[in-house]
Amino acid sequence: MLLKIPGVLTKEQVAQCKAKLEDAEWLDGNVTAGYQSSQAKNNLQLPEQSATAIEIGDVILRALAQNNLFMSAALPLKIFPPLFNCYQGGQNFGIHVDNAIRQVPGTPVKVRTDLSMTVFFSEPEEYQGGELVIEDTYGAHSVKLAAGDMVLYPSTSLHRVMPVTAGRRLASFFWLQSMVSSDEKRTILFDMDMAIQQLRTQVQDSPEIVKLTGVYHNLLRQWAVT
């Protein structure tokens, strides 16, 4: 499931975070790349343990904890701390797939990467190129969202970032381990949850809605690993 989640961050949050990113010191992006990714990666990245990365990462995580659409789609168990990248002057990231396991730096915690996420901090008109292109069984999907929006997609997907030919593309990227590892099962649960919520806006709770809600939770109970 590939899902756009609008307005994860408010415009005020975007402006405050972007100002800090503009003033930050950026390093070669290959510091977090695996062997395969390093052959395709050409960008800049904030040091993972920098004060700026930690501060803005906390802003993102707090916002996601309050975002019902994200929680329903992702069913998060563990989230890797957000990382931050910058593309400019023709920089790009060639076709690749994300590493299956990520260890949180300085801890024994390992995160299986079920879902990948990108939060945009630059408006689409502020740079040329820079589309995130995600491939699935239905073809290639080009993603270039407004600042504060996020895209969520399976980490098994081949994807790339097209060259930024003008301007500067600032974004956060990170991964999560879901309570439900199967993308197919997560999609079933998400569709059911969205349908139940929509029904509740149209009619008062009924025995049928209560029964459907029970089916949702029984499926989640059967499929979730915590």
Side-chain angles (χ1 to χ4, degrees):
M1 177 173 55
L2 189 158
L3 181 67
K4 171 188 172 182
I5 303 180
V8 168
L9 300 179
T10 66
K11 294 302 180 185
E12 292 75 16
Q13 288 174 317
V14 169
Q16 293 169 4
C17 294
K18 188 178 177 183
K20 296 179 186 295
L21 292 173
E22 295 281 6
D23 292 337
E25 294 187 13
W26 297 85
L27 304 176
D28 188 316
N30 275 323
V31 293
T32 59
Y35 174 77
Q36 175 240 312
S37 294
S38 68
Q39 309 306 301
K41 191 174 187 181
N42 175 23
N43 64 7
L44 301 174
Q45 190 168 311
L46 281 189
E48 293 184 47
Q49 298 303 311
S50 72
T52 299
I54 293 171
E55 179 183 358
I56 302 177
D58 286 343
V59 171
I60 294 172
L61 294 177
R62 286 196 299 270
L64 288 176
Q66 303 300 316
N67 191 293
N68 292 333
L69 185 60
F70 165 76
M71 298 299 290
S72 177
L75 298 170
L77 177 62
K78 293 187 285 187
I79 303 180
F80 192 92
L83 304 176
F84 299 86
N85 57 24
C86 170
Y87 291 84
Q88 59 189 6
Q91 290 178 322
N92 67 95
F93 200 158
I95 193 76
H96 66 285
V97 66
D98 291 332
N99 290 351
I101 305 293
R102 289 275 181 176
Q103 182 163 348
V104 178
T107 78
V109 177
K110 292 182 173 65
V111 177
R112 185 188 64 234
T113 57
D114 295 326
L115 289 164
S116 299
M117 295 159 283
T118 297
V119 177
F120 292 80
F121 283 96
S122 299
E123 297 291 357
E125 62 270 17
E126 293 178 339
Y127 59 98
Q128 294 179 15
E131 297 86 357
L132 172 62
V133 179
I134 302 164
E135 297 185 4
D136 62 17
T137 55
Y138 298 101
H141 307 272
S142 181
V143 181
K144 188 173 183 178
L145 304 180
D149 291 356
M150 184 177 88
V151 62
L152 178 75
Y153 60 97
S155 299
T156 52
S157 306
L158 286 169
H159 57 284
R160 62 190 184 275
V161 176
M162 302 301 291
V164 173
T165 56
R168 198 181 201 198
R169 177 193 189 270
L170 299 172
S172 175
F173 65 102
F174 52 115
W175 308 270
L176 68 80
Q177 179 173 333
S178 176
M179 291 185 287
V180 178
S181 61
S182 163
D183 181 59
E184 181 182 12
K185 291 176 180 177
R186 281 196 310 272
T187 301
I188 291 170
L189 290 168
F190 177 70
D191 288 345
M192 183 177 291
D193 191 19
M194 292 298 100
I196 292 169
Q197 290 186 41
Q198 186 62 33
L199 283 172
R200 285 200 169 115
T201 67
Q202 298 173 6
V203 297
Q204 294 182 342
D205 265 357
S206 65
E208 291 77 16
I209 292 177
V210 172
K211 183 173 289 188
L212 280 174
T213 303
V215 172
Y216 170 87
H217 284 286
N218 286 333
L219 285 174
L220 180 58
R221 186 177 292 110
Q222 180 176 338
W223 291 342
V225 176
T226 62

